[in-house]
Amino acid sequence: MKVTRAAAPLLPLCERLLPTRLTGLSVALLKATALELAILAGHLLLYPSGIIQERRTTPAPPSADAPRLPTEDKPPVVLLHGFIDNRSVFVLLRRALALGGGRHLESLNYSPLTFDIRAAAELLGRHIEDICERTGRERVDVVGHSLGGLIARYYVQRLGGDRRVRTLVTLGTPHGGTQVAPLANAHPIVRQMRPGSDLLEELREPAPGCRTHFVAFWSDFDHVMVPVETACVDHPDLMARNVQVTGIGHLALPVHPTIANEIRQALDEAPTATRPAARPDGLTVA
C-alpha cells in the first residue's frame, strides 16, 4: 500500500530513518536493549543479597513408603555466575528449575578477586565433590552464565570433570573468545577470555572420550559476545548442541522465562551416549 505524504509523520521514527528491511531488526534491537536495562536495574537491587556464599545443605532422604517421583532421579544442579557477578543473577532461574520439586539446587560464588579461570575451575571441582558426597550422587548438572560457563567447561575438559558433570548448559559463554571492551584487558581473566589466549587454546586441544553433554545458548543480540557466534561450542570431540536465541541480550539469558523453560527441558532429558537429545536449535523470544 502506498503511503501518502500526509500519513508519513504517523509512521514510527525508526521506519522513516532506516531502510524497510532493517526496520524489524531495529525495533527488536530496541526492545532487547530496553529489556537489558530493566534487568540490569533489577539485578543491581538484588546484588547485595547474593554476596554471601550460599549455605550448604544435605537433602533429606525420602521416606521408605513415599512414592518415588521421576524428579528424584535427576542429578543436583550447580549454578555458576559470570564475571563480576554473584548468585543473585539466578533468582528467577532457580525458581523455574525448582518447579515440581525433587531437584537439589546450589549456587557457587567464586571470589571477585579471582584472577585465573583455572583456579576458579579447581574451586568448582571441590564444590562438586562436596555436593556429590552430601547428596550421595555420582554426577551433577551445571548451568553457567557467561564466564561461569567457561569455568565449568575448563573443569570438564581439563580437570577430569566430565566424570562428574552429566550436562553443562552455558548461557552467553565466550567459548571462542570475545573481543568486547578492549580496555578491560588489564584484568587477567578478561585476557583469558580473548580469542587466541593460552587458556582458550587449551580448550581447543583434543578431548577424546569427554562424557559431558553441552547445550550452549547464544543470542544474536548479545553485545558482550563479539562476535555473537563465539558463544557456540565448536569442538569435534564434544557432544554439543548450540541453540540460537533471537530477541534478547546477554543479561536476559539467565532471567527470561522462555530460556528457563528450555534449560529445564534440557536438564530433564536424559542425554544419549553420543549426542544430546534432538531439539530445535533456534529459539525466538517475543
Side-chain angles (χ1 to χ4, degrees), residues 113 145 164 200 226 235:
L113 300 179
H145 179 227
R164 287 298 195 194
L200 292 183
V226 179
H235 194 293

Side-chain angles (χ1 to χ4, degrees), residues 86-228:
N86 63 38
R87 61 187 176 87
S88 63
V89 72
F90 293 119
V91 167
L92 296 180
L93 178 59
R94 184 171 187 140
R95 186 178 305 167
L97 294 180
L99 290 176
R103 194 194 301 272
H104 184 74
L105 296 161
E106 290 196 12
S107 300
L108 172 64
N109 276 1
Y110 52 89
S111 171
L113 300 179
T114 299
F115 294 132
D116 183 26
I117 289 175
R118 299 175 182 89
E122 291 176 359
L123 172 64
L124 173 62
R126 294 193 296 271
H127 182 67
I128 289 177
E129 290 296 326
D130 177 63
I131 291 177
C132 290
E133 182 178 351
R134 283 186 283 111
T135 63
R137 306 303 296 268
E138 292 294 325
R139 307 191 80 187
V140 304
D141 291 332
V142 178
V143 178
H145 179 227
S146 196
L147 172 62
L150 199 60
I151 292 171
R153 179 178 172 184
Y154 191 90
Y155 166 65
V156 164
Q157 267 188 255
R158 305 296 298 173
L159 301 180
D162 62 312
R163 73 183 183 90
R164 287 298 195 194
V165 179
R166 185 190 70 153
T167 300
L168 170 56
V169 176
T170 66
L171 310 170
T173 289
H175 292 288
T178 179
Q179 300 174 9
V180 73
L183 295 179
N185 281 344
H187 199 291
I189 281 188
V190 174
R191 294 197 297 271
Q192 290 181 329
M193 291 191 288
R194 294 303 191 200
S197 71
D198 291 343
L199 183 131
L200 292 183
E201 288 303 309
E202 280 189 60
L203 295 179
R204 291 173 60 87
E205 294 178 6
C210 182
R211 290 162 283 188
T212 298
H213 294 74
F214 292 77
V215 182
F217 290 85
W218 66 283
S219 173
D220 50 7
F221 290 159
D222 190 336
H223 298 301
V224 178
M225 299 296 107
V226 179
V228 292

Side-chain angles (χ1 to χ4, degrees), residues 243-262:
V243 182
Q244 179 180 356
V245 180
T246 298
I248 60 175
H250 189 76
L251 296 178
L253 286 170
V255 174
H256 201 283
T258 300
I259 307 301
N261 182 61
E262 289 293 318

Side-chain angles (χ1 to χ4, degrees), residues 267-280:
L267 298 181
D268 284 344
E269 294 167 343
T272 65
T274 55
R275 292 287 168 187
R279 288 182 55 79

